[in-house]
Amino acid sequence: MKVAIQGELGSFSHEAARRMVPGCTLVPCARSIEVFDHLDSGRVPVVVIPIENTLAGTVTEHADLLLGREVFIQREFRLRIVHNLIAARGAKKADIRRALSHPVALDQCRDFFRQNPQIQATPFYDTAGSVKHVIADRILDTAGIAGKHAAAVYKGTILAAGIEDDKRNFTRFFLLRKKRKILPRANKTSIAFGLKNIPGALHKALRVFAERDISLSKIESRPIRGRPWEYVFYADFLRGDDKLARGALLQLGTVAEMVKVLGIYPAV
């Protein structure tokens, strides 16, 4: 099965996809929107995207794409993230002046940059891609920040291991399909909903879950593009496609301007 991912081979998305879809053929994409375009066009049946990190928070571009595209979350997966400073062979840590990586990865290594002020954090399109770049061009004063698998794939040298701020650093990934397909034992639902900007609107929305004793494991808001100072709420709740959940969503639809079920899947 073909699976589209954002990033190069050796990226964390690469590892997550291999774990979620064993034996798959990976289709690396440079940009997140290309991943969704591959799914829209039918070039791949599934894609894997990172959606949330325990240090850096939500991957906002992917949250926006989940809302804007017709896709369905089928599975979630949590991957332990270990960041390493990786350079071309022959490079020395004392000579490194720039560290390239995806902005989300850089955000997970703030303490490293505070302790090494001579190294400038420089955004790059991908974690593994940063390693591929510095090694292919043999840039000896620049390193990439990525997982150890990237060092193996591109034959780089790990100059510093485990440079993430906290060892409890996990990224949550979603496996997406274009059409709704619910796996057995699905017991978690992700939704997005919009509310009118009136007093008590959020209270009324959350009450539909409280009255049914449904646990919300996450809720956050994001700005709505083209509508300044208006927001959409993303929420996860711990029920599958059962009568109680359907009743809550039906009632939510009476108080919300918009409700979209993003996925129903087994919780991990």
Side-chain angles (χ1 to χ4, degrees):
M1 178 185 292
K2 289 184 177 180
V3 181
I5 60 168
Q6 192 280 317
E8 300 283 351
L9 300 180
S11 66
F12 293 110
S13 293
H14 172 178
E15 184 175 350
R18 291 291 191 193
R19 301 274 290 274
M20 297 176 83
V21 190
C24 65
T25 299
L26 295 178
V27 181
C29 300
R31 298 186 302 156
S32 296
I33 196 167
E34 293 174 15
V35 176
F36 283 79
D37 286 345
H38 272 63
L39 189 59
D40 278 346
S41 67
R43 291 194 292 270
V44 298
V46 296
V47 303
V48 169
I49 61 164
I51 189 62
E52 181 183 14
N53 176 264
T54 52
L55 299 181
T58 296
V59 182
T60 55
E61 180 182 9
H62 292 170
D64 292 341
L65 285 166
L66 283 174
L67 180 62
R69 299 294 185 98
E70 290 304 316
V71 297
F72 192 78
I73 304 163
Q74 187 179 53
R75 288 187 61 193
E76 70 171 349
F77 179 76
R78 295 175 185 172
L79 181 67
R80 169 75 168 90
I81 303 298
V82 179
H83 287 302
N84 305 278
L85 188 71
I86 305 169
R89 291 180 179 177
K92 298 179 180 179
K93 184 181 176 183
D95 297 329
I96 300 299
R97 293 295 174 263
R98 289 194 309 156
L100 312 179
S101 198
H102 191 281
V104 175
L106 295 175
D107 201 35
Q108 297 166 30
C109 303
R110 296 178 185 177
D111 290 344
F112 172 81
F113 289 108
R114 277 195 288 266
Q115 295 162 9
N116 296 273
Q118 77 281 6
I119 301 177
Q120 178 184 354
T122 305
F124 202 76
Y125 77 95
D126 180 48
T127 52
S130 69
V131 175
K132 180 181 179 181
H133 171 66
V134 300
I135 292 174
D137 291 356
R138 194 163 174 75
I139 311 171
L140 297 182
D141 68 346
T142 303
I145 292 178
K148 66 179 182 180
H149 188 51
V153 169
Y154 300 111
K155 297 179 173 55
T157 298
I158 296 177
L159 300 180
I163 63 172
E164 66 277 6
D165 292 348
D166 192 294
K167 301 311 172 187
R168 293 166 296 180
N169 184 27
F170 293 86
T171 293
R172 180 184 179 208
F173 290 83
F174 282 154
L175 185 145
L176 309 178
R177 289 185 177 271
K178 189 160 178 60
K179 294 185 178 180
R180 178 183 175 111
K181 183 177 180 181
I182 302 174
L183 295 177
R185 298 184 297 279
N187 59 352
K188 189 174 184 180
T189 300
S190 291
I191 62 172
F193 61 93
L195 300 171
K196 293 181 180 179
N197 189 15
I198 57 176
L202 183 57
H203 171 75
K204 291 177 182 178
L206 297 182
R207 191 171 64 191
V208 309
F209 301 103
E211 289 175 346
R212 293 168 173 82
D213 200 29
I214 295 176
S215 176
L216 291 177
S217 58
K218 178 183 178 180
I219 183 168
E220 66 175 306
S221 63
R222 286 278 301 142
I224 300 175
R225 286 191 171 191
R227 295 167 61 178
W229 318 122
E230 294 187 40
Y231 301 87
V232 63
F233 291 89
Y234 291 83
D236 295 341
F237 63 86
L238 301 181
R239 300 291 300 196
D241 185 28
D242 58 20
K243 183 177 179 180
L244 201 65
R246 290 192 292 270
L249 292 173
L250 186 64
Q251 186 179 347
L252 179 61
T254 66
V255 299
E257 289 189 306
M258 172 278 295
V259 179
K260 181 179 181 181
V261 176
L262 303 174
I264 303 170
Y265 49 92
V268 297

